[in-house]
Amino acid sequence: MTILEEARALRAYLTGLRRDLHRHPELSWQETRTQALICRELDGLGIPYEKACGTGVLAELHGAGDGPAVGLRADMDALPIAEQNDCAYRSETPGVMHACGHDCHVAMLLGAARILKAREAELRGTVKLIFQPAEEVIEGARAMCTLPQLADLDRVFGAHVWIDLPAGRLSVEEGPRMASADNIELTIRGRSAHGARPHEGVDAIAAACAVVGALQTVVSRRVDPLDAAVVTIGAIQGGTSPNVIADEARLSGTVRSFRPEVRDAVEKQLETVACTTAAAYGAACEFKYRRCTPATVNEPVSTAIARRAAVRLFGRDALLHLEKTTGGEDFAWFLERAPGCYLFIGARNEGKCYPHHHGCFDIDEEALVNGAAMLAQLGLDAGKESE
Ligand code: NI
């Protein structure tokens, strides 16, 4: 049987796992039931593993021949979203939902583990199965990457089911695929006064409004128009009463870009613009910039390996071009550790298509078969082709 035929034979297994996980979603760092399910399946397959970073799991398959260490990664967590679907496998946890498809990723990697275990003698080197918690809060990958067990990774692959691609199609492309995602927090400090006598105080709200406007010019006036960046202020709080000049206002937001040079420049310019604008209004500005995840940039050799694997499985027509996205993905931390490729598995649910992170999100479960086959093929090919 071919790898794809083997994955197709696992359809009921994959669908069962995914639906079980979908009914029991768990938030970031709370994936204990998910972890127990993974451990139970790995026990059944006779694959050695260890729990890692609290709710994560690391498992290893050893081939008969020498070769590199190839990582295959699946994220595990759900989102604080109430599911609006009315399917048999809808979330049984109020306010929590697998609205991004990480339930599928766990099922796909367990399916690949099953296929690879049966073909262990064919493997070259080691395949490390990385079940990573807390992707949605962009913390899990960074934590997993500190593990000494992953210090020797030679190559690493990850896949996301993707609603913008039809089932049966994939995007496997080199270069930047997803943006860096960073947080900013600003505290603007003025001085309180009577709302009718503003000249006796320093209005933190007036200063904060000017800062929000001025920050928008960093992308529109300071970043090369052929580069991409996003600055969004998503929250603003300040003041207590309609007739009191506010002495403090707090802003927070997210910053996205694709190139390290742009990221560095935007960070520096945001601070300058925020602090000087606040100063022009007589206010002080405390500026905090927290780097969360780098951009997800696919390395060319790993991408070529993955493209060949995709063509072998699904034919040349299956590869589609997908524009890079300003969404963030903490798989980027693995790509800082080892060369690799992050790919997108078509999962569009043709009758009913809602975006990721929506309460009606659901996938075409054919994606589970394709994803499991793809990860298994990568586990086999990357060991051989990396030599
Ligand atoms: Ni996701």
Side-chain angles (χ1 to χ4, degrees), residues 75 100-102 105 135-136 160 329 342 356-357:
D75 44 11
C100 196
H102 301 186
H105 302 166
E135 193 284 326
E136 296 293 359
H160 207 301
E329 162 61 59
Y342 195 63
H356 292 259
H357 296 209

Side-chain angles (χ1 to χ4, degrees), residues 32 85 87 94 98 102 129 136 138 177 192 195 197 205 227 248 267 276 288 307 309 321 325 330 352 366:
T32 50
N85 289 315
C87 51
H98 269 295
H102 301 186
L129 308 170
E136 296 293 359
I138 314 192
R177 303 302 293 138
S192 191
R197 301 183 60 78
I205 288 182
D227 273 318
E248 190 178 287
E267 175 179 354
T276 54
K288 282 191 197 146
R307 285 180 71 87
H321 169 62
T325 135
D330 77 355
K352 179 177 153 299
E366 192 60 26

Side-chain angles (χ1 to χ4, degrees), residues 96-314:
V96 183
M97 176 191 178
H98 269 295
C100 196
H102 301 186
D103 49 347
C104 307
H105 302 166
V106 172
M108 280 154 44
L109 189 54
L110 285 169
R114 243 185 132 95
I115 295 170
L116 290 171
K117 179 65 186 172
R119 290 173 173 258
E120 211 169 9
E122 284 175 49
L123 285 178
R124 299 276 176 79
T126 309
V127 173
K128 302 198 180 208
L129 308 170
I130 305 165
F131 295 92
Q132 177 216 305
E135 193 284 326
E136 296 293 359
V137 292
I138 314 192
E139 290 173 359
R142 189 181 204 167
M144 296 292 271
C145 281
T146 64
L147 295 170
Q149 300 94 313
L150 294 180
D152 64 345
L153 272 188
D154 294 299
R155 248 178 236 297
V156 64
F157 297 92
H160 207 301
V161 293
W162 209 246
I163 218 73
D164 294 332
L165 290 171
R169 304 298 176 93
L170 302 88
S171 155
V172 185
E173 300 172 62
E174 63 179 68
R177 303 302 293 138
M178 298 186 83
S180 60
D182 300 330
N183 289 338
I184 46 172
E185 277 175 45
L186 292 82
T187 306
I188 313 282
R189 292 205 175 84
R191 199 173 61 250
S192 191
H194 193 294
R197 301 183 60 78
H199 59 290
E200 292 176 354
V202 173
D203 189 346
I205 288 182
C209 292
V211 166
V212 172
L215 289 180
Q216 302 310 312
T217 65
V218 171
V219 172
S220 70
R221 304 290 83 182
R222 302 300 297 274
V223 174
D224 183 332
L226 298 180
D227 273 318
V230 180
V231 174
T232 291
I233 299 296
I236 174 164
Q237 286 113 22
T240 51
S241 173
N243 59 357
V244 176
I245 297 296
D247 63 350
E248 190 178 287
R250 289 178 307 282
L251 314 174
S252 59
T254 184
V255 182
R256 309 292 168 108
S257 61
F258 291 96
R259 292 201 304 120
E261 299 80 1
V262 175
R263 191 186 193 194
D264 291 345
V266 167
E267 175 179 354
K268 203 182 290 171
Q269 285 159 13
L270 286 174
E271 178 164 22
T272 305
V273 167
C275 294
T276 54
T277 303
Y281 285 73
C285 174
E286 188 188 315
F287 179 91
K288 282 191 197 146
Y289 191 99
R290 194 164 70 91
R291 294 189 163 216
C292 299
T293 183
T296 299
V297 182
N298 285 346
E299 179 268 335
V301 175
S302 306
T303 307
I305 291 171
R307 285 180 71 87
R308 282 194 292 274
V311 169
R312 200 164 297 155
L313 285 167
F314 308 110

